[in-house]
Amino acid sequence: QVQLVESGGGLVQPGGSLRLSCAPLGSIFSIYFMAWYRQAPGSQRELVAGITSDSITNYADSVKGRFTISRDNAKNTVYLQMNSLKPEDSAVYYCNFRAVSQQYWGQGTQVTVSS
């Protein structure tokens, strides 16, 4: 099983920015969809943003206009640029890759928005 490794989480003040990255340790073929999910304590995991192999994107209403998902197909890497962060964005963020054969999850990276 190939691991996905996330980076870029941390503590940021409200209104600040963070950029998350996710890349696999090893090769994954035929990835057709990459996404970021998040899960706050006591809440279900929710889809934050997704991007297809043709770079068609979709976003949760709560992050539209503030977050931007992008991908580098050559590196099999997905990014999440998060601007104008709010305390309610605090959560563990997980990347997700969907390939023809199976899907993969990262281990999660903590994002905390607090003054």
Side-chain angles (χ1 to χ4, degrees):
Q1 177 79 0
V2 175
Q3 274 188 296
L4 300 183
V5 180
E6 298 122 335
S7 61
L11 173 64
V12 64
Q13 291 188 341
S17 298
L18 284 173
R19 188 186 192 222
L20 305 182
S21 301
C22 174
L25 288 178
S27 298
I28 302 176
F29 301 98
S30 303
I31 301 171
Y32 61 87
F33 188 72
M34 296 177 173
W36 288 96
Y37 287 75
R38 68 186 180 187
Q39 187 168 19
S43 299
Q44 289 190 335
R45 191 173 296 189
E46 62 172 353
L47 176 66
V48 176
I51 184 167
T52 70
S53 55
D54 296 328
S55 295
I56 297 171
T57 59
N58 66 288
Y59 297 92
D61 287 343
S62 59
V63 307
K64 282 181 182 177
R66 300 188 298 121
F67 291 11
T68 302
I69 189 170
S70 60
R71 63 189 284 172
D72 183 332
N73 288 329
K75 297 179 180 179
N76 271 352
T77 300
V78 66
Y79 306 95
L80 186 68
Q81 178 67 43
M82 304 185 293
N83 299 328
S84 303
L85 282 160
K86 305 175 181 180
E88 51 264 42
D89 294 318
S90 298
V92 178
Y93 283 70
Y94 300 89
C95 62
N96 171 253
F97 286 11
R98 297 176 201 175
V100 172
S101 57
Q102 66 184 90
Q103 69 172 333
Y104 303 82
W105 288 94
Q107 80 286 355
T109 185
Q110 177 70 47
V111 171
T112 303
V113 185
S114 175
S115 54

